[in-house]
Amino acid sequence: MAGLGAAMTTGDVGRGDSVAVFGCGGVGNAAIAGARLAGASTIIGVDIDDRKLRWAEALGATHTVNSAKHDPVEAIRALTGGFGADVCIEAVGNPSVYRQCFEARDLAGTVVLVGVPRPEMTIELPFLDVFGRGGALQSAWYGDCLPERDFPMLIDLYLQGRLDLDAFVSETIALDDVEEAFEKMERGEVLRSVVVL
Ligand SMILES: NC(=O)c1ccc[n+]([C@@H]2O[C@H](COP(=O)([O-])OP(=O)(O)OC[C@H]3O[C@@H](n4cnc5c(N)ncnc54)[C@H](O)[C@@H]3O)[C@@H](O)[C@H]2O)c1
């Protein structure tokens, strides 16, 4: 819900939009799925891990960029006719990635911060660009979700085969396996481990 809502509700992605999602973990890949459902035509997944980028492609990314190997701002500009993406979604919670989002965004587009920063983090942006580039800098708390509105929508989309929730479930585990699942998540081996009681 956090990622899907960051694209569909907070970012207000619409038909034909270009969207770049930075961080293709569980949240970022849900943002990619949300951008596809909203009708975005160009969906760019950015991550430092090729395995995550493969999952991003499966969930709807039309292009991927490994930002450990390539400058994501240049790559996104090249994929969007030099303009930048209409909506850039930060799904890491990292000040450098936030700056990449800001710089990869089209003028008057929207940056959505869904990654959660740690308390000591600060950002530095050219103040003139914050003014001159216009647009919106939004944050998304749980994808601006209204459960009574959004959960039935997600279930309907799943039942209609339009939202592949199963693709997010890398494994099902017992409650006793939770610590090991956190370690797998830290190592980037899973999108989501789901506890079955
Ligand atoms: N706003 C909300 O309501 C909400 C809800 C849930 C989670 N979150 C936050 O969203 C963020 C992502 O959560 P997740 O569960 O998807 O985590 P995750 O660990 O599954 O995914 C994070 C992804 O970011 C990638 N990454 C790390 N450093 C990067 C970099 N420098 N550039 C590009 N990609 C990079 C990792 O490879 C990984 O694929 C976290 O900060 C989490 O706290 C926010």
Side-chain angles (χ1 to χ4, degrees):
M1 187 68 245
L4 196 116
M8 295 182 86
T9 305
T10 318
D12 197 21
V13 171
R15 245 180 332 177
D17 278 351
S18 53
V19 179
V21 177
F22 291 70
C24 300
V27 172
N29 271 323
I32 285 172
R36 176 163 70 174
L37 282 165
S41 53
T42 302
I43 305 172
I44 306 163
V46 179
D47 205 292
I48 52 175
D49 180 344
D50 284 327
R51 183 170 30 192
K52 299 298 180 69
L53 293 174
R54 284 199 297 277
W55 286 331
E57 281 167 2
L59 283 154
T62 57
H63 305 81
T64 56
V65 179
N66 185 324
S67 55
K69 299 178 188 157
H70 304 283
D71 179 343
V73 177
E74 274 181 22
I76 289 163
R77 290 225 178 104
L79 290 165
T80 53
F83 294 111
D86 297 312
V87 180
C88 287
I89 298 173
E90 204 284 11
V92 183
N94 174 317
S96 315
V97 178
Y98 187 82
R99 183 161 178 162
Q100 290 169 347
C101 274
F102 179 74
E103 291 175 351
R105 188 202 68 180
D106 191 4
L107 290 177
T110 303
V111 170
V112 178
L113 175 63
V114 63
V116 180
R118 290 196 302 274
E120 73 280 10
M121 289 176 166
T122 58
I123 52 168
E124 191 168 322
L125 295 173
F127 204 16
L128 185 60
D129 284 348
V130 173
F131 172 73
R133 295 173 58 81
L137 304 175
Q138 303 267 21
S139 55
W141 288 46
Y142 201 47
D144 287 328
C145 169
L146 291 177
E148 64 276 20
R149 176 195 65 193
D150 294 332
F151 288 178
M153 173 191 75
L154 295 186
I155 292 164
D156 284 347
L157 288 168
Y158 175 71
L159 292 175
Q160 292 163 10
R162 295 164 65 197
L163 174 60
D164 186 7
L165 292 177
D166 296 325
F168 290 91
V169 184
S170 303
E171 60 174 359
T172 54
I173 58 168
L175 197 52
D176 285 346
D177 301 325
V178 161
E179 284 304 325
E180 195 189 329
F182 275 120
E183 285 161 21
K184 285 185 198 161
M185 189 176 71
E186 293 280 325
R187 292 195 298 269
E189 292 170 10
V190 290
L191 263 190
R192 286 289 181 264
S193 301
V194 173
V195 176
V196 178
L197 297 173

